[in-house]
């Protein structure tokens, strides 16, 4: 009889869940900024600072996932945050080039 501990649990599903969580929250923040843009155009600055705004929710999620020892989810959060931050930096550099 094979022991269940021989097989390692794949963290790919948890990592994908972490990435989708970060992307989903970022999309929600952008949607809220678009709705608040009706009130004041200053809320459009969220597009240029989404990489910094995600620190507000990513750090507590990372702390929670490390406390629960969900390694795959933690890796997914980090990968998702880095992807969004790098896209944000690239867009910022393109815009900066035109000014």
């Amino acid at each position: 009889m094979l022991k269940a501990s021989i097989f390692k649990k794949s963290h790919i599903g948890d990592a994908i869940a972490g990435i989708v969580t970060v992307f989903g929250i970022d999309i929600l923040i952008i949607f809220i900024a678009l709705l608040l843009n009706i009130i004041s155009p200053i809320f459009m600055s969220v597009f240029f600072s989404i990489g910094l705004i995600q620190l507000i929710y990513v750090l507590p999620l990372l702390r929670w996932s490390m406390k629960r020892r969900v390694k795959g989810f933690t890796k997914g959060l980090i990968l998702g945050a880095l992807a969004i931050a790098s896209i944000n930096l690239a867009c910022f550099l393109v815009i900066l080039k035109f000014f």
Side-chain angles (χ1 to χ4, degrees):
M1 183 171 178
L2 295 174
K3 293 182 181 179
S5 63
I6 293 175
F7 301 105
K8 291 185 179 180
K9 181 185 171 200
S10 176
H11 299 291
I12 295 173
D14 291 338
I16 292 172
I19 293 170
V20 169
T21 300
V22 171
F23 286 178
I25 293 173
D26 283 336
I27 290 170
L28 180 66
I29 290 171
I30 290 171
F31 181 70
I32 290 171
L34 285 173
L35 288 176
L36 292 175
N37 186 39
I38 297 169
I39 299 170
S40 175
I42 197 162
F43 290 107
M44 288 305 290
S45 64
V46 170
F47 287 117
F48 301 110
S49 62
I50 194 73
L52 294 175
I53 290 175
Q54 72 182 356
L55 288 175
I56 295 170
Y57 66 88
V58 168
L59 291 178
L61 279 174
L62 279 173
R63 186 199 241 162
W64 174 82
S65 65
M66 286 179 178
K67 191 175 186 181
R68 297 272 181 156
R69 296 181 188 208
V70 186
K71 293 179 183 178
F73 190 74
T74 305
K75 292 175 187 176
L77 287 174
I78 293 170
L79 287 173
L82 287 175
I84 294 294
S86 63
I87 291 169
N88 186 240
L89 177 66
C91 292
F92 177 74
L93 291 176
V94 167
I95 290 173
L96 188 64
K97 181 179 177 181
F98 289 111
F99 283 124

